[in-house]
């Protein structure tokens, strides 16, 4: 099986993708480890990570580089952040998480993957964690809140990233309105500050979710 690099640090394995493990032997969520020519890859599950789902659904522009600094809002127990830690192995992944319970699960991951920096905070209040962060190239946001675009705009104002990836969950914003309408309204709020590069529907991996790929104006 040949290993093809699809984007910097993202490798295709048959119908799946993987990242190059920066902590060989260490698994984060029971993902499969594959050894090839002296390197170890971690399979990147599209049902567990919306970024993997977006790549498999044809994401065209991947904003992460090996030295990117990422502000990750809604890090949870570290599934997707851990793959970004592999991809951006010369940068930092600042993992903002509101829930103490998820933070307890995230901590052991950040002890191993040293470029992941845990931050227990509310993504609505960037002023409370800006001191812990030097510079940000990309904001990745996956928080199930009613004001998803507003949270991104607040953080973009403080950190001025070049790119942002926003995961919008329609049901968290409005459970009765059609998801299409909800997505349109949220994306419209961003248009003064960002150019929309692409919007990816994540079905069948995740329903009611889109990934919006944004470049700051
Ligand atoms: C869908 S999960 C994220 C999954 C993760 N992005 C991944 O792919 O591995 C959403 C997370 O956002 C967190 N969250 C919700 N509101 C938040 C807020 N205001 N600030 C920071 N985190 C928040 C939740 O506690 C939850 O862990």
């Amino acid at each position: 099986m040949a290993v093809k690099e699809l984007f910097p640090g993202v490798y295709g394995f048959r119908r799946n993708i993987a990242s190059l493990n920066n902590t060989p032997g260490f698994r984060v969520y029971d993902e499969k480890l594959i050894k090839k020519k002296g390197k170890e890859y971690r399979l990147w599950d599209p049902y567990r990570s919306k970024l993997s789902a977006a790549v498999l659904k044809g994401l065209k522009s991947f904003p992460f580089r090996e030295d990117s600094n990422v502000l990750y809002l809604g890090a949870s127990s570290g599934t997707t952040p851990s793959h970004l830690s592999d991809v951006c192995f010369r940068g930092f992944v600042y993992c903002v998480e509101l829930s103490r319970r998820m933070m307890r699960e995230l901590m052991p991951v950040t002890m191993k993957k040293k470029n992941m920096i845990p931050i227990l905070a509310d993504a609505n209040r960037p002023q409370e964690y800006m001191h812990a962060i030097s510079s940000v190239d990309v904001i990745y946001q996956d928080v199930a809140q009613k004001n998803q675009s507003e949270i991104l705009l607040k953080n973009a104002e403080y950190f001025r990233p070049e790119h942002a990836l926003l995961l919008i969950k329609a049901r968290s914003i409005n459970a009765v309105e059609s998801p299409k309408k909800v997505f349109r309204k949220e994306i419209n709020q961003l248009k003064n500050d960002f150019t929309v590069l692409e919007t990816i529907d994540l079905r069948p991996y995740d329903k009611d979710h889109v990934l919006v790929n944004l470049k700051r104006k």
Side-chain angles (χ1 to χ4, degrees):
M1 185 172 41
V3 180
K4 189 177 167 207
E5 192 170 25
L6 304 176
F7 291 118
V10 181
Y11 302 86
F13 278 92
R14 295 211 176 99
R15 285 189 202 147
N16 283 304
I17 61 166
S19 61
L20 188 60
N21 198 353
N22 64 358
T23 46
F26 180 64
R27 277 190 180 84
V28 174
Y29 58 102
D30 251 359
E31 67 279 20
K32 199 168 167 194
L33 303 179
I34 301 171
K35 289 214 165 80
K36 276 267 164 199
K37 295 193 175 161
K39 293 180 172 167
E40 187 179 276
Y41 299 85
R42 299 169 57 222
L43 271 195
W44 193 340
D45 186 344
Y47 291 95
R48 302 282 300 272
S49 168
K50 296 172 198 101
L51 184 53
S52 171
V55 170
L56 293 176
K57 287 288 313 270
L59 184 79
K60 288 193 184 73
S61 161
F62 191 74
F64 305 100
R65 301 287 174 266
E66 63 179 46
D67 59 354
S68 298
N69 289 328
V70 181
L71 173 60
Y72 196 114
L73 303 173
S76 192
S77 55
T79 301
T80 305
S82 69
H83 285 287
L84 286 177
S85 151
D86 291 338
V87 170
C88 309
F89 61 95
R90 291 190 205 284
F92 290 100
V93 183
Y94 297 100
C95 300
V96 175
E97 174 52 51
L98 180 64
S99 148
R100 283 177 191 276
R101 190 170 68 82
M102 297 325 300
M103 187 50 80
R104 272 198 294 277
E105 291 185 28
L106 179 65
M107 288 304 287
V109 178
T110 64
M111 305 278 265
K112 282 277 185 190
K113 291 193 168 289
K114 306 253 186 240
N115 64 342
M116 290 172 67
I117 314 297
I119 299 173
L120 180 66
D122 183 345
N124 278 293
R125 301 173 175 277
Q127 65 276 18
E128 290 178 8
Y129 49 84
M130 65 177 295
H131 61 277
I133 296 173
S134 55
S135 68
V136 171
D137 301 298
V138 188
I139 295 181
Y140 185 100
Q141 182 182 316
D142 182 13
V143 297
Q145 291 285 347
K146 275 196 175 308
N147 60 336
Q148 293 169 38
S149 293
E150 189 195 346
I151 291 176
L152 176 60
L153 289 172
K154 278 187 200 171
N155 281 274
E157 200 183 316
Y158 275 89
F159 297 104
R160 313 199 74 69
E162 203 178 331
H163 295 274
L165 292 184
L166 173 65
L167 279 308
I168 308 180
K169 183 175 183 182
R171 289 190 172 280
S172 302
I173 295 168
N174 190 325
V176 287
E177 202 163 34
S178 89
K180 257 192 185 162
K181 261 195 185 164
V182 175
F183 295 143
R184 200 179 323 121
K185 276 190 198 162
E186 282 299 296
I187 292 169
N188 277 341
Q189 290 181 47
L190 300 168
K191 287 192 171 161
N192 281 340
D193 299 74
F194 288 98
T195 304
V196 179
L197 301 178
E198 52 192 327
T199 301
I200 300 194
D201 183 328
L202 299 183
R203 282 175 295 185
Y205 303 107
D206 220 308
K207 40 173 214 176
D208 289 342
H209 264 100
V210 289
L211 177 144
V212 192
N213 193 354
L214 300 154
K215 189 167 182 358
R216 204 162 56 81
K217 285 184 175 168

